[in-house]
Amino acid sequence: MSTGCADFLLSQMAGNAKKSALVSNEGTTTYGELLEQIAQASETLSQAGVMAGQSVQLRGDFNTVSVAYLLALLNLGTIVSPVAPTSFEKATEFADVADVSWIVDGFSGSISKASRDSKHPLYDRLRKTNDAGIIIFSSGTSGVSKGALHSAEHLLSKFKTPGKDFVTLAFLLFDHIAGFDTLMYCLSNCSTLVCPTERSAVSICELIQTHNVEVLPTAPSFLNLMLLSGAHENFDLSSLKIITYGAEMMPQPLLERVAGAMPKARLVQKYGTSEIGALRSQSENSTSRWLRIGKEGKDWRIVDGLLEIKTKTAMLGYLNAPSPFTKDGFYKTGDRVELRGDMIRFEGRDSDIINVGGQKVFPAEVEAELRELDGILDAAVYGAPHPILGASVGATIQVVDDATSPADLRIHIRKGLAGKLEPYKIPQKIKLTTDALVTDRFKQKRQ
Amino acid sequence: MSLDLDTALKAITNAVAEINAGLADDKQISSGADDVLFGADSALDSVGLVNVVMAAEQHIGDESGEDIVLASEAAMSRKRSPYRSIRALAEFAVETAKDGAAE
């Protein structure tokens, strides 16, 4: 049985068969070729016995095989959790949370049976309406990832309205909500998606020049990195019409430097979360962080300084966490905002989360790893504003004795954390002390 | 206490060694004073750059007692990036320490 929620995309593609769909260093796939690959992927899935309503993990990236399987899986009516290479180390944890029955490799195209059962009360809601699902994972408190389950029908509905056709760079990740949004926007307008194999400033600038990229959806920390490295001066980036940014706080001076370095490109802030999808929004102008995201009262409201959003594209719920919705259906974003007329401006997150260049770091997770190391009694991890990454990770560490030199202790800590935590979670600033790290009321001192 | 160029160079070289201790063999940062530290052809990413810069701040503090900040809007908006080499960063550190003392 096919639910065909991606059929509207497939019929668009059929009318644009000769146009380039995906471009990478390995070559170009046209929309006609992509359609053939989707048909082949559908055939392979049905031969393997993959059925509607089952939970399937797709380990892939922006490439022809992965995109073909993603669309084939959605059309078949499965519940898909995409996992990009940057999250492969968490793939097993994600497979457990999503209780996946199948794992599809988006590079080789191989399909393997997983020893799980696709069971979850929220999945039953999708099955009742024969709807496909999409699971987006995001970091949760204490570092455990939360799986947000979306109805594919709802998430894809906004792409039925025609948009603009731009050559777009797939900078954001395949398993992030914003990366999914970039992909679907491009496919729904039969635009060309340029797929990077790495995301260094030089390789991204080179791709923009080679393929005349018009839209670069990115993050403030990448823009900062690009300006610092000077890579933008070595390539012709004049094809760029729009640069979108989101995922983290954009410092006003950086926004102005980007606008100065690339005066022809329009700078547009985007807003979205794994829970509510990527919203259509409008920046006041290229050097403004003020943003319109729909109608106040109906689509959003501010409660105690924090933004709450109501949208049709919201998830059904988390697979492994309590509902973050209010009784009347607003999602509590946890983002602190300022209000001016009908526009909002983001001030930061209302929690302990440290946002390092768009990646979330939970102090509790880092503290737990630090406490495992020899010679360390306790640790308090905190975020501090940083002009390059938005925030940096700092740690105050209580050591057993101060006989070892600070530099040697720091080396011991860095070596001990390497391989256990992702590089962006390893404290950049390490303060050593022999004093206790709890206050006299037994609350942890994080500053 | 003021900061001289040799002390700054030594401190930053030690900072790079500290960061290298936690990196795989194929990710090692070159420790020559004039090698490219962060630029169009360097392997360092933004997290790597911040690691080096903040470790450098700590080592300069250890060596000289100077509490200086090497990552700032002023540093990033310079025409020639102070992060292009260990030497450029050391020169920037000396300059920053001087400005701090003059205030």
Side-chain angles (χ1 to χ4, degrees), chain B residues 16-92:
Chain B
V16 169
E18 178 185 325
I19 298 301
N20 274 337
L23 296 178
D25 289 348
D26 60 337
K27 299 268 159 85
Q28 294 284 306
I29 305 159
S30 171
S31 58
D34 297 301
D35 294 347
V36 173
L37 184 63
F38 185 76
D41 298 320
S42 83
L44 215 53
D45 62 8
S46 56
V47 172
L49 172 67
V50 172
N51 280 336
V52 170
V53 169
M54 294 187 75
E57 290 169 354
Q58 286 197 308
H59 278 266
I60 289 170
D62 291 349
E63 296 272 340
S64 70
E66 293 278 350
D67 192 10
I68 62 166
V69 175
L70 297 175
S72 60
E73 197 48 48
M76 290 188 293
S77 42
R78 288 193 163 204
K79 187 72 193 150
R80 297 200 72 198
S81 164
Y83 310 130
R84 64 187 186 277
S85 67
I86 289 178
R87 188 181 304 282
L89 188 56
E91 285 165 0
F92 179 68

Side-chain angles (χ1 to χ4, degrees), chain A residues 351-389:
Chain A
S351 70
D352 281 341
I353 301 171
I354 308 164
N355 192 329
V356 179
Q359 306 266 37
K360 291 177 186 169
V361 179
F362 292 88
E365 184 190 8
V366 183
E367 286 163 359
E369 289 293 346
L370 282 166
R371 288 189 200 109
E372 293 292 306
L373 300 178
D374 286 342
I376 288 172
L377 293 173
D378 200 3
V381 170
Y382 57 90
H386 196 278
I388 296 177
L389 292 172

